Amino acid sequence: MKMQSGDVYTRNAVQADLKAIYELGFFSEKMKAIPVNNSDGTVTLKIMLEENAPVTDFTIEGNTVVSTDEVLSYLMPMKGKPQNIAEINEAIAKIQECYSSKGYILARIDSVSDDPDGTVNISIKEGLIDKIMIAGNEKTKDYVIERNILTEPGMVYNENLLKEDIVRLYASQAFKDVTREITPCPDIPDAYDITINVQEQRTASVSIGGGLDSVTGVFGSVGIADNNFRGRGRRVSLNGLVGP
């Protein structure tokens, strides 16, 4: 409280102090300030508060890629203390940051609820993949792209793993650009569809050369190479030499 003994009593100052107390997070909205007039002309200010019930335990639901113990490590410091909304929100942010740091960028805290006995229930949606689709390829066969993508439907989406998939597609030398698009699944709540967009590049090349040999005379050479032969991701190289 900013208001101290000897200060002039004002309604605005009291409301500001009540707001600051509430923002501590330990108390319910049922708080009030009662001014009592004293015989000497001063005012005694009584602050009536209702402390939140203490946290007795936590339950975690929906986590598969991050252990329950790791999730609880952000929550257990609150056990036995009056429930503090600000501290719970801070713990939730840390849990989501934990998921994000591991590549699970679609994970989120779905709900937080209280039981009468003081148990706080945390429900997590981790971001399951429903479908993986491929777009943009005209020459390259779908299976050539799919064999480089280790991310699969049914997995929890991981940005780090998908980046490795994209690197493998670049390494095939069949594409000049590869991107991913994430969209919510229209049929399954809290699931996502992943589209791999590829932009193919020219993979075939022809080289022509020639020269003059003092023994054999004039000669010519032709070379044909393709890093994505017939769209199957195979590297083929043919070279020929023509001379007398």
Side-chain angles (χ1 to χ4, degrees), residues 142-218:
D142 281 357
Y143 76 84
V144 174
I145 301 173
E146 290 168 351
R147 72 189 181 193
N148 287 285
I149 301 173
L150 301 185
T151 302
E152 298 179 350
M155 295 174 59
V156 175
Y157 179 81
N158 188 294
E159 181 81 344
N160 297 338
L161 294 180
L162 194 66
K163 284 181 179 179
E164 293 177 2
D165 294 339
I166 291 175
V167 168
R168 276 189 291 272
L169 289 172
Y170 273 118
S172 70
Q173 300 181 18
F175 312 104
K176 61 181 178 181
D177 192 25
V178 182
T179 61
R180 62 100 177 101
E181 182 180 351
I182 304 172
T183 55
C185 176
D187 304 319
I188 305 175
D190 302 304
Y192 298 85
D193 294 333
I194 311 299
T195 302
I196 306 297
N197 297 298
V198 299
Q199 187 175 355
E200 294 173 316
Q201 65 182 354
R202 182 177 179 179
T203 58
S205 61
V206 177
S207 60
I208 300 175
L212 176 65
D213 187 272
S214 59
V215 177
T216 61
V218 178

Side-chain angles (χ1 to χ4, degrees), residues 24-210:
L24 291 173
F26 291 109
F27 306 99
S28 73
E29 295 178 348
K30 297 178 181 179
M31 58 172 59
K32 57 185 177 180
I34 303 174
V36 179
N37 292 319
N38 300 319
S39 58
D40 61 357
T42 61
V43 174
T44 298
L45 190 62
K46 293 184 178 181
I47 307 296
M48 310 297 291
L49 304 173
E50 180 183 72
E51 196 173 57
N52 293 331
V55 176
T56 58
D57 205 355
F58 294 94
T59 66
I60 311 299
E61 180 183 272
N63 59 307
T64 61
V65 294
V66 175
S67 71
T68 298
D69 286 344
E70 187 166 5
V71 174
L72 285 174
S73 69
Y74 301 103
L75 300 166
M76 291 306 288
M78 292 181 282
K79 186 174 181 179
K81 301 177 182 178
Q83 186 181 116
N84 186 311
I85 302 302
E87 290 184 357
I88 289 178
N89 288 337
E90 183 179 348
I92 287 173
K94 289 180 178 179
I95 293 169
Q96 295 195 161
E97 183 181 346
C98 170
Y99 268 92
S100 182
S101 68
K102 298 176 186 292
Y104 303 107
I105 63 172
L106 300 181
R108 62 183 179 85
I109 304 298
D110 180 54
S111 66
V112 179
S113 61
D114 303 330
D115 289 342
D117 66 355
T119 300
V120 178
N121 307 296
I122 309 289
S123 176
I124 302 174
K125 300 295 185 183
E126 294 184 316
L128 286 176
I129 300 172
D130 180 46
K131 293 189 291 291
I132 297 179
M133 298 168 285
I134 298 168
N137 56 313
E138 298 178 359
K139 175 183 177 181
T140 310
K141 308 297 182 183
D142 281 357
Y143 76 84
V144 174
I145 301 173
E146 290 168 351
R147 72 189 181 193
N148 287 285
I149 301 173
L150 301 185
T151 302
E152 298 179 350
M155 295 174 59
V156 175
Y157 179 81
N158 188 294
E159 181 81 344
N160 297 338
L161 294 180
L162 194 66
K163 284 181 179 179
E164 293 177 2
D165 294 339
I166 291 175
V167 168
R168 276 189 291 272
L169 289 172
Y170 273 118
S172 70
Q173 300 181 18
F175 312 104
K176 61 181 178 181
D177 192 25
V178 182
T179 61
R180 62 100 177 101
E181 182 180 351
I182 304 172
T183 55
C185 176
D187 304 319
I188 305 175
D190 302 304
Y192 298 85
D193 294 333
I194 311 299
T195 302
I196 306 297
N197 297 298
V198 299
Q199 187 175 355
E200 294 173 316
Q201 65 182 354
R202 182 177 179 179
T203 58
S205 61
V206 177
S207 60
I208 300 175

